Amino acid sequence: MAHVSYPFKKTNKSVYKKPASVLTEDNLYWKKLGQPVLVKEFGAIDYLDFSPVEPYYFAATCSVRIQIYDPITKTVSKNISKFLEAAYGGSFRNDGRLLIAGSEEAAVKLFDIQSKNVLRVFTGHTGPVHRTFFTKDQTKVISFSDDKSVCLWDIATEEKIKSFSEHADYIRAGAPSPVSPDLILSGGYDHMVKLYDCRTNEATLTVNHGSPVESTIFLPSGGLFVSAGGTEVKVWDIFNGGKLLANISQHHKTVTTLRLSSNASRLMSASLDRHVKIYDISTFKVVHNIDFPNAILSMAISDNDDVLAVGMIDGVISIRKREQPIKQKEENKGIYKFAPDHIQTSTTVDNVISKQKTEKGPEFEKFLRKMEFDKALSSVLKSYVASKFPEKTIALLQELLRRKVLNVAIDGLSEKDIGALLRFFKKYLGETRFTRTIIDTVNVFIDVFENQIKLFSEQNLWLYNSLKEEIMQEIDVCKRASELEGAISLLLSGAQVDSSRDMIENSDMLAPSSKAQKEIVIDV
């Protein structure tokens, strides 16, 4: 009779792996930001802002100066140090030629980027100025101060045009409208976000964020704005009288910065919890998360999302640049270098076919093919495999259980491997994806060594007794959980009885209307 060989079926390890997050287009897109380059500054990074024009330099405001960085070389291109005390909130004008910044000196200064000269100094605040911006028409400047006031300044005359003092605490956040030079948004530590129209003398809209406001931003339409404070990010509708559209609570520490990216289709928030969250504007759901080594104070992203800069509380700036696809070099055409591009030339005569490499499988698969079950089990009990890839060990145990040869494999183990198996049981007994297989394996282990346990080495005997104690503790926890589940079920059933009684008692008070009676649908 001819011998028939069947293909060997590989052990399925994937069912025991940890569930991985599904890769989406956003995950792939944001993961293309390269490895971070860390730059150390003196003092916490108060504010970061990218120039709107190429080569997209960014300004880092920290301590008593503003550093202008080249995002390509990650080095300081210019240094503006015209401050006696701490500088705050340096931001660019739309043409990238001017920069405005506040300071602890209660003054607002306007700089020429090229010469680094101070062009204007706006004085009138009585407290530190933490945020400054240019208006939509680029001819005026807005400042937000700790003296609880918002001021509008004319660049040409260096005079104050308008001042609003409706906040009851420090103002540390604000934003100019993207559609009108007359609309200003401000957020204060009094939990209020106010919208001002410079054509009037008071706030036209006020909403309560519920926490000290750290950052505000308009969406491009100008009809919606976003506020951040505490652990929450809130979206408000101006045209509906300040209606709350969304309340996003994805951070567990104070949110410090808001930014728009991906052509304003994504909202970004940075927090003291060391995370940057990216949301889809249409659904306000998180589409990606980026971790950083320390609490984040400021964040900025360039046009086309090419460079992400994040400033941290310890004075470190993390700069990530998007990886560009590598262009293939043109091959040397040799004597055909003057040939037209549509003619394909070859520099070699022979085509070399490389030998295909056979893919090596796990070591235990080799032993399984040879029916050497004890060696297969010994190979997956090695410390590296059992700690780094426990799913391989569990997959083999399950396969040996299925073949009903686990007792043969365990009986052939050495004293050292028995200790490794007991340590594996102890470590992963509480892992829910492994528990069923481990329980079945322990039962087989006891059946095999029931009369030989006293002959174990001192260390293995201690491991065995320790495993028994852990199993008893697990059983006790399960009993308590079952008792708690029963008590909760009893409470819920009691609540349902009470609610049904209330419904019966109130049934006469609220009768169905004639329209409701016509709309009755019987579900069969």
Side-chain angles (χ1 to χ4, degrees), residues 93-106:
R93 196 168 74 168
N94 272 358
D95 57 7
R97 296 172 61 184
L98 299 180
L99 183 138
I100 191 76
S103 68
E104 192 75 22
E105 309 159 28

Side-chain angles (χ1 to χ4, degrees), residues 344-398:
Q344 295 185 358
T345 61
S346 177
T347 56
T348 59
V349 177
D350 299 326
N351 290 326
V352 180
I353 300 173
S354 59
K355 185 180 178 181
Q356 292 184 349
K357 294 182 179 179
T358 56
E359 186 180 349
K360 278 191 174 182
E363 188 182 8
F364 70 86
E365 299 275 13
K366 181 178 69 175
F367 293 120
L368 275 182
R369 285 192 181 96
K370 296 178 181 179
M371 303 296 180
E372 297 175 349
F373 303 119
D374 54 344
K375 291 183 180 178
L377 183 55
S378 179
S379 68
V380 296
L381 290 175
K382 292 177 181 177
S383 58
Y384 176 76
V385 178
S387 59
K388 294 287 185 181
F389 307 103
E391 64 272 6
K392 291 185 178 180
T393 308
I394 288 292
L396 178 66
L397 291 172
Q398 186 62 41

